[in-house]
Amino acid sequence: MQDLFKERVQIFKDATRFNKPKRIPNLSNFWSYKIMDAGYRLSEGVYDFDILKDSVFKFQEKYQFDSFYETNWRNPLSIAKALGRVNYIINDEQNAICFLDESNMKTEDYDDLIANPEKYIWEKFMPQKYNGINLEKVK
């Protein structure tokens, strides 16, 4: 395992230093596919960090990437759900996530935003967008 790691590091070093690497480095930057490839439905993986973790490990084991770029960005729904609102539609048949695009600001909000952006975002925008935020508990 250590030898494989060293080899992969060297391949990236050679490629980034414009030395001829022994082969082209193979970098994974998959978002949703790894979830379905591991045998899960998309709706399962975006809410469950254990399933997402399992998907990442299975994906790496199956495809043996030299480097794996994983931000867990495919899992924003758990955070939004904890804040009190999920505005995504997950389609397991099409393996797609759609975002419900909507405006969370009104015309009259812009003066507050300009006057104090940080205060506006935390005291007005976020509680407006996520009904699970209770400012009374924070104060």
Side-chain angles (χ1 to χ4, degrees):
M1 187 66 90
Q2 190 65 23
D3 290 340
L4 180 58
F5 176 75
K6 286 179 182 178
E7 176 186 340
R8 288 176 169 163
V9 168
Q10 189 61 50
I11 289 168
F12 274 95
K13 282 182 177 180
D14 289 343
T16 57
R17 292 176 181 159
F18 298 104
N19 296 328
K20 185 177 179 181
K22 84 184 225 184
R23 62 178 171 76
I24 297 171
N26 186 2
L27 169 66
S28 168
N29 187 17
F30 287 90
W31 287 43
S32 301
Y33 179 72
K34 65 183 167 285
I35 296 168
M36 286 80 72
D37 192 60
Y40 299 107
R41 292 185 330 229
L42 184 58
S43 61
E44 294 173 312
V46 295
Y47 281 110
D48 189 319
F49 285 102
D50 290 330
I51 287 176
L52 190 61
K53 177 183 172 184
D54 185 56
S55 299
V56 168
F57 281 106
K58 285 180 177 177
F59 204 62
Q60 175 60 25
E61 186 177 319
K62 183 175 182 178
Y63 297 104
Q64 294 295 308
F65 297 104
D66 293 317
S67 181
F68 199 97
Y69 182 73
E70 177 57 59
T71 61
N72 280 333
W73 220 188
R74 199 29 89 198
N75 197 305
L77 286 80
S78 296
I79 296 165
K81 187 176 182 182
L83 293 173
R85 182 161 175 226
V86 176
N87 50 347
Y88 295 87
I89 298 171
I90 304 167
N91 183 328
D92 283 324
E93 303 302 318
Q94 298 293 320
N95 295 319
I97 297 177
C98 297
F99 181 76
L100 296 174
D101 193 15
E102 58 193 24
S103 175
N104 291 289
M105 288 184 69
K106 299 174 185 81
T107 303
E108 57 269 19
D109 291 337
Y110 285 92
D111 289 338
D112 292 338
L113 175 65
I114 292 165
N116 188 334
E118 188 173 344
K119 180 178 180 183
Y120 170 76
I121 288 169
W122 288 109
E123 292 184 9
K124 195 166 182 185
F125 179 82
M126 292 297 284
Q128 222 168 258
K129 181 171 178 156
Y130 298 106
N131 61 14
I133 296 177
N134 184 342
L135 291 177
E136 297 306 314
K137 288 184 178 181
V138 177
K139 291 180 180 179

